[in-house]
Amino acid sequence: MQFTHSHVITVILIVIIMEVILVEGNFQCFRKHRKGRRKEYCKGPMKNKRKYGSPEKCCAKRGQGFVTRLKRIGKNKYKCTPCSLLLTTTTTPVTTPMPDWGEWGECSTSCGAGWRSRYRMCSDCDKNHFNNVHSEPCMLNFYCPVDGNWGPWFGWTSCSESCGGGIRTRERTCNYPPPTHGGRDCPGGTGEEQECNEDPCPIDGSWGAWSHYSLCSVTCGTGTMTRARECDNPTPLHGGKSCPGSSRDSRRCTNRQCPQHGGWSLWGSWNNCPVMCGIGQRTRTRECNSPRPLFGGRMCQGQSEEALRCDAGRPCPRNGGWSSWTDFGRCRAARCQEGIQLRSRSCTSPRPKFGGRPCVGRHKEEQRCVNTINCPRESFEVRECVNVPPCRGLSEFFPGGDGGRTGSSGADLFGSGDGSKPNGDQEEDPKTVTTDL
């Protein structure tokens, strides 16, 4: 069974009429009425929850507002009608008789459930007040005409073609609701067509002819030569599949042997440090055999041996070496007397270190001399002995002398007296005498 629009309206009117009947003589009264900025509300329902038969009875006592059904709009706040809207609010029962009712008006609808109203016959009362108007449901014709309305479209059918353009259709029925009780049919048709799959159909690609092979890729040794083809017989279009396989083909080709340049092998291991002390040098080598130069190839570039400084971990002994001799000092003798001159050297070039040997030899030397300071030269006759045995007469002039071993000239005999070396380096002079003073 299907419910029409008129059936639904009828049910709603019946429910409203029942509520009015139940509400009559059943008013809830409130002790307080407040008027806010945006809305009015009542609070404080009568504690005894007594129901009043009319608004006048509620407002005649302590009531400030009334309502037929409680509707809370906040904490201890209820929607209500204020007693100030009543024409007369008094603490005593209303004794003024109510005017008689007028005739019923026409029904609000020509079919289905409607409303009709009547009003009290008075000239100075508000006919819109609920005490002055009386409404009730009415019905002239139980059924109203219902025009038909299309239901939803069914789904589209499959397209007649998968590509290149086709047709698809869909349908609908006039059942939402269907036309009843003389209502009009649905306007328009029950079916609809639409073009579909208008994209061009895919075209799969196919290979064209192979080209000629190219020249060999190398001028010596083994290489390749290639050929190609295009996927253009036809070219794939509109999502068609590409040509299967490869677009290039190759094969080996061989020419004369290419020169093979030499390449170094890996470095060998470092040899041991060749010294037991101090700083030395160790080496490692490599060979030009990775690969060997062949067919006119170049030899390896660079060195086949590599050196690296190494430290034995302890210093080597350093032998001592003599420094240069100092100049001879002054002649140690009385005026015009024979004496000696001294010079020295030290073992500091270099000093012996780390267990090295000390210097070998004496560190002091002496030579005979004559102190000629303030000694008159004219009292002596100096002559050179030529091709004669060594002169011996000097000891007669200088007792305790060396018998002429100090030299054959006056300079050798007397010296300069200021410690200078006569006739060059004293180290080579046979007259020098080494002492260990």
Side-chain angles (χ1 to χ4, degrees), residues 243-386:
C243 299
S246 176
S247 64
R248 299 180 69 82
D249 179 44
S250 62
R251 67 182 183 183
R252 294 179 62 187
C253 54
T254 303
N255 286 331
R256 62 182 178 84
Q257 290 290 345
C258 294
Q260 176 177 292
H261 302 311
W264 290 113
S265 67
L266 297 176
W267 285 102
S269 301
W270 290 102
N271 60 11
N272 295 328
C273 195
V275 297
M276 301 298 293
C277 61
I279 304 301
Q281 182 173 281
R282 59 179 183 171
T283 60
R284 64 177 181 177
T285 60
R286 58 181 177 175
E287 295 183 4
C288 186
N289 60 2
S290 295
R292 298 181 185 278
L294 296 174
F295 311 115
R298 294 189 301 270
M299 292 295 294
C300 299
Q301 303 296 315
Q303 301 298 322
S304 62
E305 184 173 299
E306 187 178 40
L308 181 68
R309 185 174 178 267
C310 60
D311 190 343
R314 63 186 183 89
C316 291
R318 186 177 68 188
N319 297 329
W322 290 112
S323 65
S324 301
W325 286 103
T326 62
D327 295 333
F328 279 103
R330 64 183 179 82
C331 188
R332 298 183 180 183
R335 186 167 60 90
C336 299
Q337 297 296 318
E338 181 182 6
I340 60 172
Q341 290 176 305
L342 298 177
R343 67 175 181 177
S344 63
R345 59 181 178 178
S346 60
C347 189
T348 58
S349 294
R351 297 179 185 275
K353 198 173 184 181
F354 309 119
R357 295 189 299 273
C359 299
V360 179
R362 304 290 183 174
H363 70 283
K364 287 186 179 181
E365 273 187 346
E366 66 177 25
Q367 71 175 1
R368 294 187 180 281
C369 61
V370 175
N371 185 1
T372 60
I373 298 175
N374 297 326
C375 182
R377 284 181 173 268
E378 59 273 10
S379 60
F380 300 95
E381 180 181 358
V382 179
R383 61 183 180 178
E384 184 177 0
C385 298
V386 179

Side-chain angles (χ1 to χ4, degrees), residues 203-255:
I203 299 175
D204 295 336
S206 181
W207 290 113
W210 285 103
S211 66
H212 295 291
Y213 277 103
S214 66
L215 297 176
C216 194
S217 61
V218 296
T219 58
C220 62
T222 301
T224 57
M225 50 186 188
T226 60
R227 63 177 181 173
R229 60 181 176 176
E230 298 290 337
C231 185
D232 58 359
N233 190 29
T235 302
L237 295 174
H238 315 305
K241 292 181 290 188
S242 296
C243 299
S246 176
S247 64
R248 299 180 69 82
D249 179 44
S250 62
R251 67 182 183 183
R252 294 179 62 187
C253 54
T254 303
N255 286 331

Side-chain angles (χ1 to χ4, degrees), residues 1-272:
M1 177 179 179
Q2 294 184 345
F3 289 94
T4 64
H5 184 66
S6 59
H7 292 161
V8 175
I9 294 176
T10 301
V11 173
I12 294 174
L13 292 176
I14 293 173
V15 172
I16 294 174
I17 292 170
M18 293 300 295
E19 287 184 354
V20 172
I21 294 173
L22 292 174
V23 165
E24 187 174 4
N26 191 20
F27 291 89
Q28 176 69 52
C29 196
F30 294 93
R31 291 184 292 105
K32 297 179 182 180
H33 175 261
R34 296 289 183 266
K35 187 174 183 180
R37 293 181 179 179
R38 297 183 179 179
K39 57 185 177 181
E40 298 181 4
Y41 60 90
C42 290
K43 59 188 300 184
M46 293 298 186
K47 293 184 177 180
N48 55 10
K49 297 184 180 180
R50 177 185 172 186
K51 306 294 183 179
Y52 292 84
S54 66
E56 289 83 358
K57 291 181 181 180
C58 168
C59 296
K61 295 185 180 296
R62 294 184 300 167
Q64 298 293 320
F66 58 90
V67 70
T68 57
R69 178 181 294 178
L70 287 176
K71 184 176 181 181
R72 187 186 300 271
I73 60 174
K75 185 177 181 181
N76 196 23
K77 295 179 181 180
Y78 302 88
K79 188 175 181 180
C80 68
T81 301
C83 290
S84 60
L85 294 180
L86 294 177
L87 295 177
T88 304
T89 303
T90 177
T91 57
T92 60
V94 179
T95 58
T96 303
M98 300 294 291
D100 293 333
W101 291 104
E103 297 292 332
W104 287 102
E106 294 182 356
C107 191
S108 61
T109 61
S110 60
C111 62
W115 286 93
R116 67 176 184 173
S117 301
R118 65 178 180 175
Y119 301 91
R120 291 190 184 276
M121 294 184 295
C122 59
S123 58
D124 57 349
C125 62
D126 184 5
K127 291 188 177 182
N128 292 323
H129 193 273
F130 62 88
N131 281 334
N132 299 327
V133 62
H134 183 199
S135 299
E136 68 178 10
C138 60
M139 183 179 295
L140 298 180
N141 296 307
F142 186 80
Y143 294 109
C144 290
V146 177
D147 295 335
N149 190 42
W150 290 112
W153 286 100
F154 292 103
W156 289 102
T157 62
S158 299
C159 191
S160 61
E161 300 293 339
S162 61
C163 61
I167 298 296
R168 64 178 183 174
T169 61
R170 65 177 181 176
E171 293 183 350
R172 60 182 176 176
T173 57
C174 186
N175 62 352
Y176 199 73
T180 55
H181 309 302
R184 294 189 298 272
D185 286 335
C186 298
T190 60
E192 186 179 34
E193 291 185 351
Q194 187 182 59
E195 294 182 352
C196 56
N197 293 343
E198 298 177 357
D199 294 334
C201 293
I203 299 175
D204 295 336
S206 181
W207 290 113
W210 285 103
S211 66
H212 295 291
Y213 277 103
S214 66
L215 297 176
C216 194
S217 61
V218 296
T219 58
C220 62
T222 301
T224 57
M225 50 186 188
T226 60
R227 63 177 181 173
R229 60 181 176 176
E230 298 290 337
C231 185
D232 58 359
N233 190 29
T235 302
L237 295 174
H238 315 305
K241 292 181 290 188
S242 296
C243 299
S246 176
S247 64
R248 299 180 69 82
D249 179 44
S250 62
R251 67 182 183 183
R252 294 179 62 187
C253 54
T254 303
N255 286 331
R256 62 182 178 84
Q257 290 290 345
C258 294
Q260 176 177 292
H261 302 311
W264 290 113
S265 67
L266 297 176
W267 285 102
S269 301
W270 290 102
N271 60 11
N272 295 328

